[in-house]
Amino acid sequence: MLKCRTVWKKLAPLARASSTLCRQNVRRTALNNGRTPAYVPEAHMSSGPAGGGRANQMYVLLVGAACVGGGVYTYQTVKGDGQRYQERIEEISSRPNKTQASYIQTEPPAVEATETEAVPEPEPEATPSSGEPSPPAPDVEAVIHTVIQTSEAPPETSEAPPAEEPVVEAPPEEAAEPPAAPVVEEEPSAAEPVVEAPPEEAAEPPAAPVVEEAEPLAPSEPPPAELTEPPAAVEESEPTAAAADPAEPQPEAVAESGDSAAASLKVPSHAPYLLIGGGTASFAAARSIRARDPGAKVLIVTEEPDAPYMRPPLSKELWFSDDPSVTETLRFKQWNGKERSIFFQPPSFYITAEELSSAENGGVAILTNRKVVHMDVKGNKIKLDDDTEISYDKCLIATGGVPRNLQVIERAGEEVMQKTTLFRKIEDFKELDKVSRNVKSITIIGGGFLGSELACALGRRSSEFDLEVIQMYPEKGNMGKVLPEYLSNWTTEKVKSEGVKIISEALVKSVVSKDDQLEIQLKDGRLVKTDHIVAAVGLEPNVDLAKSAGLEVDSDFGGFRVNAELQARSNIWVAGDAACFYDIRLGRRRVEHHDHAVVSGRLAGENMTGANKPYWHQSMFWSDLGPDVGYEAIGIVDSSLPTVGVFAKATAKDTPRAATELSGTGIRSESETEDTATSPVASSTPAPSGSHKDEYGKGVIFYLRDKVVVGIILWNVFNRMPIARKIIKDGEEHSDLNEVAKLFNIHDD
């Protein structure tokens, strides 16, 4: 109709002018026919060609044809409008219990059906207030007019109607009802009335705005499963949502969406500092980054459900706690009697991931139970196991490692695997603690640090819970790959005294489940029956990201190959167990100890903030066989190397318990790594004469390579590690290591 009206307004003046000119020509022709030649026209139409009457006739025919065509077009248009009008009226009449407000706000039928589902319960018809008239009948025509306009152009956004439009208000008794979700629709025409939401309905938080084409409405009641995740356009406030009426509180609309949508908001799309892994190295790096850049925003992504924590107490102090709820509190008494938690910081130290982007002073946020499955080095982004992508400026890989298992156990079947513990995490500690209270026999396979520590810890429980503890390993004695043979044998006797049955030189041939027990068949024919197995046979560095990231893995030591600054790429660093680094004194190495995780993580954090420092620090490690026997080691400690040991008689202060009382901490590396030894002073007390056979109370063991000290073990000698570190750093030959041992004051009482 609008188009016909416009065409008629343009053609009407022209038709009237043409008719006037035709009448003038006819009159003049009749009056002057006698004195004017027929072939010379006195006047002609200003809009037509100059000439005789034939030209005027042609023009009249053209004008007539145009008028007929316009009439036909007008008739067809009016007829089509009438049909659409009738169809619309029939469609509206078929709806039960619909208010006039619903007609006016409604879009195409598909959207109306969705909107109807969004209303929690049917409402009675809105009754006009006393001061307002009822909507007139032309409102329905306005609805049809809106539908015609919407079909011609895509919907944009809802805008406020002009001031002269009539407004229909709902009565105040509908106040507590939630409004239907607003529909993004075409701008209404000037004559279209608009119905506002009732004032009491406005008090309720509105549902999420809905796009006309395919966006589902967010109901105020618990939505069905297919509607629990709103489209990304609604969550991220795309241009459609941004252009909506500012009176609509968009954040609350998103907050009312499904749980999965709320969870997705917790993952920031960008993190300036991204740390993959939630262990000691990541925490040390985060603390170092924040120390150098107080406003830094750090995001830690970890597969574990817990915040960063210390792993050493899981095989040491926690087992000697008298608290029956230690598996829940995860608090323990150190050897010095002080109590602390295994977590580095309480939950209040961290901010939530959703607060990270807007945190004015930055902070450290943690994403738990999330695994990084793909790393795009060129695009500086990662992908999580739920397909969420996070971009970064600088990234640290501190994925640590996964405990190894014996192939014979892996091939033994699911029943054997269910009775096998690979000890590494908090969950493993809780599981093994529970198992030790409910079974009669536990066998530990492995004679290294972890296996020997767990054997001593469980051996202490053997008498209390009537538990048989067995430890088997292929070496001749405990920690046979690290300690010289004589000291390994002494350690084995110490472990036996804790109530542990030792089976040395044992190679496992097969493991089967039989009669609700596990039968371990050794290659020499021995058979061991047990209820549960603990496999402590080493750690495999976690390098799953190497393939997608295109990072190099060292073929000899394993782990990500990095330079002396712990860099794998220009903006990617690696620290902790997963880093195969270049030691400026001892060559390329990979270390799996707590102190290395602390120091390498700290250095990586400094280098991520621009320090560019090489990794020169010689990390140490320690192991305690209970509160009375322990040692600290640094450098390359390998029993295959030649060694020189210097020992003295121990006193009451030469125990791990006394060492922690002196340092004030149970994690000894945290107190000694900041110290440096510049000029150690040798003890003036002469070395005792005569030998002290099998008296290894305290002492120093030097590991040599090409007559140069490359490793040192301090046996029940504590807080002397800076001296050992300087000796290795100097790299000098020593003709008499007894004199070097005096630097540690082992002969002082």
Side-chain angles (χ1 to χ4, degrees):
M1 289 295 292
L2 289 176
K3 293 182 178 180
C4 295
R5 195 175 303 168
T6 303
V7 172
W8 174 252
K9 288 180 180 180
K10 292 181 178 180
L11 294 178
L14 182 59
R16 286 193 294 269
S18 300
S19 301
T20 303
L21 290 177
C22 289
R23 287 195 299 271
Q24 291 176 356
N25 287 337
V26 171
R27 187 180 300 113
R28 288 169 182 169
T29 301
L31 294 175
N32 302 320
N33 190 29
R35 60 177 181 271
T36 305
Y39 58 88
V40 180
E42 281 291 321
H44 58 83
M45 295 177 60
S46 60
S47 57
R54 180 175 294 276
N56 291 334
Q57 292 176 0
M58 292 295 295
Y59 185 78
V60 171
L61 291 175
L62 291 175
V63 172
C67 292
V68 172
V72 173
Y73 177 80
T74 302
Y75 172 77
Q76 293 177 347
T77 303
V78 172
K79 183 178 180 181
D81 289 347
Q83 292 177 351
R84 285 190 292 271
Y85 173 84
Q86 190 64 28
E87 293 173 359
R88 184 64 171 173
I89 291 300
E90 292 175 358
E91 193 274 335
I92 292 175
S93 300
S94 64
R95 299 181 192 171
N97 297 329
K98 281 291 182 176
T99 64
Q100 192 71 12
S102 299
Y103 297 152
I104 295 176
Q105 291 184 345
T106 303
E107 281 295 310
V111 180
E112 291 167 0
T114 309
E115 185 177 359
T116 304
E117 294 175 3
V119 179
E121 60 183 10
E123 293 294 326
E125 292 246 350
T127 305
S129 60
S130 58
E132 295 293 339
S134 299
D139 291 345
V140 179
E141 296 181 0
V143 174
I144 300 170
H145 182 56
T146 304
V147 174
I148 294 174
Q149 286 184 335
T150 328
S151 63
E152 293 177 359
E156 296 297 330
T157 55
S158 298
E159 295 183 5
E164 64 272 9
E165 293 180 352
V167 177
V168 179
E169 297 180 352
E173 48 263 37
E174 297 182 2
E177 300 300 329
V183 180
V184 179
E185 58 185 14
E186 191 73 15
E187 179 180 355
S189 62
E192 181 180 355
V194 176
V195 178
E196 294 183 349
E200 296 181 27
E201 292 182 358
E204 295 291 329
V210 181
V211 179
E212 176 188 342
E213 292 292 333
E215 307 288 347
L217 289 163
S220 56
E221 290 186 349
E226 63 272 11
L227 297 180
T228 54
E229 295 189 9
V234 177
E235 293 175 4
E236 300 176 0
S237 298
E238 291 295 326
T240 300
D245 191 345
E248 298 173 358
Q250 299 296 332
E252 285 133 344
V254 174
E256 289 189 3
S257 301
D259 294 339
S260 58
S264 64
L265 292 177
K266 296 180 181 179
V267 181
S269 60
H270 179 78
Y273 295 95
L274 178 66
L275 313 183
I276 304 176
T280 301
S282 277
F283 180 80
R287 188 165 52 184
S288 179
I289 291 171
R290 293 279 295 169
R292 290 176 55 88
D293 184 3
K297 298 178 180 179
V298 183
L299 178 63
I300 298 176
V301 181
T302 174
E303 297 181 41
E304 297 192 45
D306 305 294
Y309 59 90
M310 298 174 288
R311 298 191 191 276
L314 296 179
S315 59
K316 297 180 175 70
E317 293 91 341
L318 283 176
W319 290 98
F320 297 90
S321 174
D322 297 329
D323 184 4
S325 62
V326 65
T327 55
E328 301 300 328
T329 62
L330 296 177
R331 297 187 63 85
F332 62 95
K333 285 186 178 181
Q334 302 169 151
W335 302 142
N336 60 2
K338 295 182 180 180
E339 186 177 274
R340 68 172 297 176
S341 170
I342 70 169
F343 294 100
F344 289 110
Q345 292 291 344
S348 58
F349 173 82
Y350 306 96
I351 64 175
T352 61
E354 56 193 9
E355 296 174 343
L356 185 64
S357 300
S358 59
E360 182 177 355
N361 298 321
V364 180
I366 305 179
L367 279 179
T368 57
N369 294 313
R370 303 293 180 90
K371 181 179 180 180
V372 179
V373 296
H374 186 271
M375 189 172 186
D376 183 1
V377 174
K378 293 182 179 180
N380 289 343
K381 61 183 179 181
I382 62 168
K383 179 186 289 186
L384 304 181
D385 49 3
D386 60 356
D387 291 333
T388 303
E389 290 189 349
I390 304 175
S391 61
Y392 60 84
D393 295 332
K394 298 179 180 180
C395 178
L396 172 69
I397 300 176
T399 49
V402 293
R404 290 193 184 101
N405 195 3
L406 297 176
Q407 292 185 359
V408 292
I409 295 179
E410 292 178 345
R411 294 194 300 261
E414 185 65 24
E415 190 173 357
V416 174
M417 287 296 298
Q418 290 179 353
K419 296 181 179 181
T420 302
T421 297
L422 304 178
F423 199 89
R424 176 69 174 171
K425 304 176 182 178
I426 291 178
E427 290 77 8
D428 303 327
F429 164 71
K430 293 181 178 180
E431 177 190 359
L432 187 57
D433 177 80
K434 181 179 179 180
V435 168
S436 66
R437 301 174 187 271
N438 295 285
V439 300
K440 297 298 183 181
S441 174
I442 293 180
T443 298
I444 302 169
I445 302 178
F449 308 109
L450 179 61
S452 299
E453 290 173 358
L454 289 177
C456 288
L458 292 173
R460 291 285 182 100
R461 293 189 174 186
S462 59
S463 58
E464 180 181 357
F465 296 98
D466 191 20
L467 176 67
E468 181 187 29
V469 180
I470 305 171
Q471 184 184 16
M472 60 174 62
Y473 41 77
E475 297 81 22
K476 292 183 178 181
N478 285 73
M479 291 179 285
K481 293 183 178 180
V482 176
L483 302 178
E485 184 177 355
Y486 63 90
L487 199 55
S488 173
N489 293 335
W490 185 93
T491 303
T492 302
E493 296 301 321
K494 169 65 177 175
V495 175
K496 287 181 179 179
S497 67
E498 297 290 345
V500 180
K501 179 182 178 181
I502 299 296
I503 303 178
S504 59
E505 299 179 286
L507 296 175
V508 180
K509 180 180 180 180
S510 65
V511 180
V512 296
S513 177
K514 185 177 181 181
D515 298 332
D516 202 28
Q517 274 194 321
L518 300 179
E519 293 187 354
I520 305 174
Q521 183 71 46
L522 304 183
K523 289 187 177 181
D524 58 5
R526 288 177 290 181
L527 180 67
V528 178
K529 294 183 179 182
T530 187
D531 295 324
H532 196 84
I533 292 177
V534 178
V537 293
L539 194 72
E540 191 72 27
N542 186 351
V543 293
D544 292 344
L545 293 176
K547 184 175 182 180
S548 63
L551 302 178
E552 182 181 3
V553 176
D554 191 87
S555 58
D556 296 327
F557 301 98
F560 296 96
R561 194 178 180 92
V562 296
N563 59 17
E565 289 77 25
L566 302 180
Q567 275 185 303
R569 290 289 187 273
S570 60
N571 62 339
I572 298 177
W573 289 258
V574 186
D577 300 341
C580 182
F581 62 98
Y582 179 76
D583 189 317
I584 59 177
R585 176 59 59 186
L586 303 177
R588 189 158 292 278
R589 302 175 63 199
R590 191 178 66 83
V591 181
E592 300 174 355
H593 297 295
H594 176 85
D595 182 65
H596 168 68
V598 173
V599 178
S600 63
R602 183 170 60 210
L603 178 66
E606 292 177 358
N607 288 343
M608 291 174 76
T609 56
N612 296 322
K613 295 180 180 179
Y615 187 77
W616 60 267
H617 178 83
Q618 287 296 327
S619 61
M620 56 88 68
F621 64 92
W622 79 99
S623 181
D624 295 335
L625 303 179
D628 299 323
V629 177
Y631 62 88
E632 297 175 352
I634 188 173
I636 299 177
V637 287
D638 188 339
S639 60
S640 63
L641 295 174
T643 61
V644 174
V646 181
F647 292 87
K649 187 176 181 179
T651 63
K653 64 180 181 180
D654 299 319
T655 64
R657 187 193 308 273
T660 55
E661 289 176 353
L662 179 62
S663 64
T665 176
I667 306 300
R668 296 194 288 274
S669 65
E670 291 183 351
S671 61
E672 62 83 26
T673 49
E674 302 296 340
D675 299 331
T676 55
T678 53
S679 56
V681 179
S683 171
S684 59
T685 304
S689 58
S691 63
H692 295 267
K693 184 177 181 180
D694 296 338
E695 293 184 6
Y696 305 117
K698 64 178 180 179
V700 182
I701 302 96
F702 300 96
Y703 291 76
L704 306 177
R705 187 168 63 188
D706 298 331
K707 298 182 180 181
V708 176
V709 177
V710 295
I712 298 176
I713 284 183
L714 304 180
W715 186 262
N716 272 343
V717 176
F718 307 99
N719 302 317
R720 300 288 192 276
M721 192 52 64
I723 300 173
R725 182 172 289 111
K726 185 177 187 302
I727 292 173
I728 294 179
K729 183 179 180 181
D730 291 343
E732 300 176 355
E733 292 187 18
H734 298 278
S735 58
D736 188 358
L737 290 175
N738 283 288
E739 292 298 320
V740 178
K742 292 181 180 180
L743 298 174
F744 298 93
N745 299 329
I746 63 173
H747 302 298
D748 291 348
D749 293 333

PDB file of all heavy atoms in Angstrom, residues 673-696:
ATOM      1  N   THR A 673      68.231 -22.379  50.253  1.00  0.00           N
ATOM      2  CA  THR A 673      68.511 -22.020  48.866  1.00  0.00           C
ATOM      3  C   THR A 673      68.894 -20.563  48.706  1.00  0.00           C
ATOM      4  O   THR A 673      69.497 -20.191  47.715  1.00  0.00           O
ATOM      5  CB  THR A 673      67.283 -22.299  47.983  1.00  0.00           C
ATOM      6  OG1 THR A 673      66.127 -21.723  48.594  1.00  0.00           O
ATOM      7  CG2 THR A 673      67.073 -23.773  47.790  1.00  0.00           C
ATOM      8  N   GLU A 674      68.554 -19.712  49.658  1.00  0.00           N
ATOM      9  CA  GLU A 674      68.909 -18.309  49.545  1.00  0.00           C
ATOM     10  C   GLU A 674      70.322 -18.026  50.056  1.00  0.00           C
ATOM     11  O   GLU A 674      70.853 -16.944  49.877  1.00  0.00           O
ATOM     12  CB  GLU A 674      67.907 -17.449  50.340  1.00  0.00           C
ATOM     13  CG  GLU A 674      66.470 -17.624  49.892  1.00  0.00           C
ATOM     14  CD  GLU A 674      66.255 -17.152  48.478  1.00  0.00           C
ATOM     15  OE1 GLU A 674      67.075 -16.366  47.979  1.00  0.00           O
ATOM     16  OE2 GLU A 674      65.266 -17.569  47.865  1.00  0.00           O
ATOM     17  N   ASP A 675      70.926 -18.995  50.747  1.00  0.00           N
ATOM     18  CA  ASP A 675      72.238 -18.769  51.339  1.00  0.00           C
ATOM     19  C   ASP A 675      73.344 -19.096  50.333  1.00  0.00           C
ATOM     20  O   ASP A 675      73.195 -19.936  49.469  1.00  0.00           O
ATOM     21  CB  ASP A 675      72.427 -19.635  52.589  1.00  0.00           C
ATOM     22  CG  ASP A 675      71.397 -19.303  53.654  1.00  0.00           C
ATOM     23  OD1 ASP A 675      70.962 -18.138  53.680  1.00  0.00           O
ATOM     24  OD2 ASP A 675      71.030 -20.206  54.438  1.00  0.00           O
ATOM     25  N   THR A 676      74.480 -18.454  50.493  1.00  0.00           N
ATOM     26  CA  THR A 676      75.657 -18.757  49.681  1.00  0.00           C
ATOM     27  C   THR A 676      76.860 -18.844  50.603  1.00  0.00           C
ATOM     28  O   THR A 676      76.966 -18.112  51.599  1.00  0.00           O
ATOM     29  CB  THR A 676      75.908 -17.659  48.629  1.00  0.00           C
ATOM     30  OG1 THR A 676      76.013 -16.391  49.287  1.00  0.00           O
ATOM     31  CG2 THR A 676      74.777 -17.620  47.622  1.00  0.00           C
ATOM     32  N   ALA A 677      77.736 -19.719  50.280  1.00  0.00           N
ATOM     33  CA  ALA A 677      78.955 -19.886  51.073  1.00  0.00           C
ATOM     34  C   ALA A 677      80.097 -19.198  50.349  1.00  0.00           C
ATOM     35  O   ALA A 677      80.394 -19.501  49.205  1.00  0.00           O
ATOM     36  CB  ALA A 677      79.252 -21.366  51.274  1.00  0.00           C
ATOM     37  N   THR A 678      80.733 -18.278  51.001  1.00  0.00           N
ATOM     38  CA  THR A 678      81.811 -17.524  50.361  1.00  0.00           C
ATOM     39  C   THR A 678      83.182 -17.979  50.835  1.00  0.00           C
ATOM     40  O   THR A 678      84.085 -18.203  50.042  1.00  0.00           O
ATOM     41  CB  THR A 678      81.647 -16.028  50.664  1.00  0.00           C
ATOM     42  OG1 THR A 678      81.542 -15.844  52.082  1.00  0.00           O
ATOM     43  CG2 THR A 678      80.371 -15.501  50.010  1.00  0.00           C
ATOM     44  N   SER A 679      83.356 -18.151  52.128  1.00  0.00           N
ATOM     45  CA  SER A 679      84.662 -18.570  52.638  1.00  0.00           C
ATOM     46  C   SER A 679      84.465 -19.517  53.811  1.00  0.00           C
ATOM     47  O   SER A 679      84.532 -19.114  54.971  1.00  0.00           O
ATOM     48  CB  SER A 679      85.489 -17.352  53.077  1.00  0.00           C
ATOM     49  OG  SER A 679      84.758 -16.609  54.049  1.00  0.00           O
ATOM     50  N   PRO A 680      84.167 -20.761  53.545  1.00  0.00           N
ATOM     51  CA  PRO A 680      83.972 -21.707  54.634  1.00  0.00           C
ATOM     52  C   PRO A 680      85.233 -21.876  55.462  1.00  0.00           C
ATOM     53  O   PRO A 680      86.344 -21.890  54.935  1.00  0.00           O
ATOM     54  CB  PRO A 680      83.597 -23.004  53.907  1.00  0.00           C
ATOM     55  CG  PRO A 680      84.146 -22.850  52.532  1.00  0.00           C
ATOM     56  CD  PRO A 680      84.082 -21.396  52.224  1.00  0.00           C
ATOM     57  N   VAL A 681      85.041 -21.999  56.756  1.00  0.00           N
ATOM     58  CA  VAL A 681      86.164 -22.141  57.682  1.00  0.00           C
ATOM     59  C   VAL A 681      86.209 -23.579  58.173  1.00  0.00           C
ATOM     60  O   VAL A 681      85.210 -24.101  58.681  1.00  0.00           O
ATOM     61  CB  VAL A 681      86.007 -21.177  58.871  1.00  0.00           C
ATOM     62  CG1 VAL A 681      87.167 -21.360  59.834  1.00  0.00           C
ATOM     63  CG2 VAL A 681      85.927 -19.742  58.375  1.00  0.00           C
ATOM     64  N   ALA A 682      87.339 -24.195  58.007  1.00  0.00           N
ATOM     65  CA  ALA A 682      87.473 -25.590  58.414  1.00  0.00           C
ATOM     66  C   ALA A 682      87.504 -25.699  59.924  1.00  0.00           C
ATOM     67  O   ALA A 682      87.923 -24.787  60.636  1.00  0.00           O
ATOM     68  CB  ALA A 682      88.743 -26.188  57.808  1.00  0.00           C
ATOM     69  N   SER A 683      87.041 -26.835  60.399  1.00  0.00           N
ATOM     70  CA  SER A 683      87.041 -27.078  61.835  1.00  0.00           C
ATOM     71  C   SER A 683      88.468 -27.289  62.315  1.00  0.00           C
ATOM     72  O   SER A 683      89.291 -27.915  61.652  1.00  0.00           O
ATOM     73  CB  SER A 683      86.192 -28.313  62.149  1.00  0.00           C
ATOM     74  OG  SER A 683      86.347 -28.680  63.490  1.00  0.00           O
ATOM     75  N   SER A 684      88.760 -26.766  63.476  1.00  0.00           N
ATOM     76  CA  SER A 684      90.096 -26.942  64.052  1.00  0.00           C
ATOM     77  C   SER A 684      90.238 -28.270  64.779  1.00  0.00           C
ATOM     78  O   SER A 684      91.327 -28.653  65.183  1.00  0.00           O
ATOM     79  CB  SER A 684      90.397 -25.797  65.019  1.00  0.00           C
ATOM     80  OG  SER A 684      89.415 -25.759  66.056  1.00  0.00           O
ATOM     81  N   THR A 685      89.115 -28.959  64.961  1.00  0.00           N
ATOM     82  CA  THR A 685      89.165 -30.246  65.648  1.00  0.00           C
ATOM     83  C   THR A 685      89.735 -31.296  64.707  1.00  0.00           C
ATOM     84  O   THR A 685      89.258 -31.442  63.580  1.00  0.00           O
ATOM     85  CB  THR A 685      87.756 -30.657  66.089  1.00  0.00           C
ATOM     86  OG1 THR A 685      87.211 -29.617  66.899  1.00  0.00           O
ATOM     87  CG2 THR A 685      87.795 -31.949  66.873  1.00  0.00           C
ATOM     88  N   PRO A 686      90.772 -32.031  65.131  1.00  0.00           N
ATOM     89  CA  PRO A 686      91.347 -33.030  64.233  1.00  0.00           C
ATOM     90  C   PRO A 686      90.391 -34.189  64.031  1.00  0.00           C
ATOM     91  O   PRO A 686      89.529 -34.471  64.863  1.00  0.00           O
ATOM     92  CB  PRO A 686      92.617 -33.487  64.967  1.00  0.00           C
ATOM     93  CG  PRO A 686      92.315 -33.226  66.422  1.00  0.00           C
ATOM     94  CD  PRO A 686      91.457 -31.996  66.446  1.00  0.00           C
ATOM     95  N   ALA A 687      90.572 -34.861  62.905  1.00  0.00           N
ATOM     96  CA  ALA A 687      89.745 -36.025  62.621  1.00  0.00           C
ATOM     97  C   ALA A 687      90.085 -37.126  63.596  1.00  0.00           C
ATOM     98  O   ALA A 687      91.248 -37.317  63.960  1.00  0.00           O
ATOM     99  CB  ALA A 687      89.980 -36.487  61.188  1.00  0.00           C
ATOM    100  N   PRO A 688      89.107 -37.881  64.058  1.00  0.00           N
ATOM    101  CA  PRO A 688      89.381 -38.942  65.028  1.00  0.00           C
ATOM    102  C   PRO A 688      90.220 -40.032  64.403  1.00  0.00           C
ATOM    103  O   PRO A 688      90.077 -40.373  63.244  1.00  0.00           O
ATOM    104  CB  PRO A 688      87.980 -39.447  65.404  1.00  0.00           C
ATOM    105  CG  PRO A 688      87.119 -39.085  64.234  1.00  0.00           C
ATOM    106  CD  PRO A 688      87.680 -37.816  63.691  1.00  0.00           C
ATOM    107  N   SER A 689      91.147 -40.538  65.197  1.00  0.00           N
ATOM    108  CA  SER A 689      92.004 -41.599  64.704  1.00  0.00           C
ATOM    109  C   SER A 689      91.290 -42.937  64.829  1.00  0.00           C
ATOM    110  O   SER A 689      90.424 -43.123  65.679  1.00  0.00           O
ATOM    111  CB  SER A 689      93.316 -41.636  65.507  1.00  0.00           C
ATOM    112  OG  SER A 689      93.007 -41.818  66.892  1.00  0.00           O
ATOM    113  N   GLY A 690      91.694 -43.855  64.000  1.00  0.00           N
ATOM    114  CA  GLY A 690      91.070 -45.166  64.029  1.00  0.00           C
ATOM    115  C   GLY A 690      89.796 -45.180  63.219  1.00  0.00           C
ATOM    116  O   GLY A 690      89.243 -44.150  62.870  1.00  0.00           O
ATOM    117  N   SER A 691      89.333 -46.336  62.910  1.00  0.00           N
ATOM    118  CA  SER A 691      88.143 -46.489  62.095  1.00  0.00           C
ATOM    119  C   SER A 691      86.945 -46.738  62.985  1.00  0.00           C
ATOM    120  O   SER A 691      87.065 -47.294  64.074  1.00  0.00           O
ATOM    121  CB  SER A 691      88.314 -47.645  61.106  1.00  0.00           C
ATOM    122  OG  SER A 691      88.479 -48.855  61.834  1.00  0.00           O
ATOM    123  N   HIS A 692      85.793 -46.326  62.477  1.00  0.00           N
ATOM    124  CA  HIS A 692      84.537 -46.552  63.175  1.00  0.00           C
ATOM    125  C   HIS A 692      83.695 -47.452  62.293  1.00  0.00           C
ATOM    126  O   HIS A 692      82.837 -46.995  61.558  1.00  0.00           O
ATOM    127  CB  HIS A 692      83.828 -45.213  63.434  1.00  0.00           C
ATOM    128  CG  HIS A 692      84.604 -44.326  64.372  1.00  0.00           C
ATOM    129  ND1 HIS A 692      84.391 -44.314  65.723  1.00  0.00           N
ATOM    130  CD2 HIS A 692      85.606 -43.445  64.129  1.00  0.00           C
ATOM    131  CE1 HIS A 692      85.216 -43.438  66.294  1.00  0.00           C
ATOM    132  NE2 HIS A 692      85.965 -42.912  65.344  1.00  0.00           N
ATOM    133  N   LYS A 693      84.005 -48.736  62.341  1.00  0.00           N
ATOM    134  CA  LYS A 693      83.358 -49.670  61.447  1.00  0.00           C
ATOM    135  C   LYS A 693      81.863 -49.723  61.732  1.00  0.00           C
ATOM    136  O   LYS A 693      81.464 -49.882  62.880  1.00  0.00           O
ATOM    137  CB  LYS A 693      83.985 -51.051  61.612  1.00  0.00           C
ATOM    138  CG  LYS A 693      83.420 -52.075  60.631  1.00  0.00           C
ATOM    139  CD  LYS A 693      84.128 -53.401  60.790  1.00  0.00           C
ATOM    140  CE  LYS A 693      83.586 -54.422  59.811  1.00  0.00           C
ATOM    141  NZ  LYS A 693      84.271 -55.737  59.946  1.00  0.00           N
ATOM    142  N   ASP A 694      81.087 -49.569  60.657  1.00  0.00           N
ATOM    143  CA  ASP A 694      79.636 -49.640  60.720  1.00  0.00           C
ATOM    144  C   ASP A 694      79.032 -48.589  61.634  1.00  0.00           C
ATOM    145  O   ASP A 694      77.920 -48.752  62.118  1.00  0.00           O
ATOM    146  CB  ASP A 694      79.173 -51.035  61.180  1.00  0.00           C
ATOM    147  CG  ASP A 694      79.553 -52.117  60.177  1.00  0.00           C
ATOM    148  OD1 ASP A 694      79.770 -51.763  59.000  1.00  0.00           O
ATOM    149  OD2 ASP A 694      79.637 -53.283  60.577  1.00  0.00           O
ATOM    150  N   GLU A 695      79.788 -47.535  61.932  1.00  0.00           N
ATOM    151  CA  GLU A 695      79.233 -46.434  62.702  1.00  0.00           C
ATOM    152  C   GLU A 695      79.100 -45.233  61.768  1.00  0.00           C
ATOM    153  O   GLU A 695      80.006 -44.420  61.645  1.00  0.00           O
ATOM    154  CB  GLU A 695      80.134 -46.090  63.900  1.00  0.00           C
ATOM    155  CG  GLU A 695      80.171 -47.184  64.953  1.00  0.00           C
ATOM    156  CD  GLU A 695      80.991 -46.771  66.167  1.00  0.00           C
ATOM    157  OE1 GLU A 695      81.421 -45.591  66.224  1.00  0.00           O
ATOM    158  OE2 GLU A 695      81.218 -47.607  67.043  1.00  0.00           O
ATOM    159  N   TYR A 696      77.954 -45.195  61.104  1.00  0.00           N
ATOM    160  CA  TYR A 696      77.730 -44.115  60.150  1.00  0.00           C
ATOM    161  C   TYR A 696      76.729 -43.131  60.750  1.00  0.00           C
ATOM    162  O   TYR A 696      75.655 -42.911  60.219  1.00  0.00           O
ATOM    163  CB  TYR A 696      77.208 -44.681  58.818  1.00  0.00           C
ATOM    164  CG  TYR A 696      78.122 -45.754  58.248  1.00  0.00           C
ATOM    165  CD1 TYR A 696      77.671 -47.058  58.088  1.00  0.00           C
ATOM    166  CD2 TYR A 696      79.431 -45.447  57.897  1.00  0.00           C
ATOM    167  CE1 TYR A 696      78.499 -48.035  57.570  1.00  0.00           C
ATOM    168  CE2 TYR A 696      80.266 -46.429  57.382  1.00  0.00           C
ATOM    169  CZ  TYR A 696      79.796 -47.725  57.228  1.00  0.00           C
ATOM    170  OH  TYR A 696      80.633 -48.697  56.729  1.00  0.00           O
TER     171      TYR A 696
END
